[in-house]
Amino acid sequence: MKIKSYPKSELALMYFPDSTPHVALNRLNSWIKRCPPLVDALAGCYQSKKAKYYNPKAVRMIVEFLGEP
């Protein structure tokens, strides 16, 4: 997987390819919320919760904690 900036729905669909973008994003957010160390790491990435994209540093943290999609 290439570490780069991804739209949130695109990254979510990589983890949940059989879902709609909305459902995939909800599921990914649920996974993230269940992993407090990941929540803390994302806070350190200057990643706004309202942003439409995950920056490369946030993508790296998500893949580190959740594994590759």
Side-chain angles (χ1 to χ4, degrees):
M1 175 180 181
K2 184 175 180 182
I3 301 297
K4 62 175 191 159
S5 182
Y6 285 97
K8 287 185 174 184
S9 59
E10 183 180 334
L11 184 65
L13 283 169
M14 294 170 86
Y15 280 94
F16 304 99
D18 295 330
S19 299
T20 65
H22 181 75
V23 170
L25 188 53
N26 284 344
R27 287 181 178 172
L28 182 58
N29 286 335
S30 176
W31 279 18
I32 291 170
K33 287 177 188 174
R34 290 183 192 161
C35 184
L38 175 54
V39 172
D40 293 341
L42 290 176
C45 293
Y46 306 106
Q47 182 66 47
S48 168
K49 291 181 182 181
K50 294 182 179 184
K52 301 271 184 200
Y53 287 79
Y54 284 117
N55 62 39
K57 190 173 180 182
V59 171
R60 184 176 294 111
M61 293 295 110
I62 291 169
V63 170
E64 237 178 74
F65 283 91
L66 301 180
E68 282 198 33

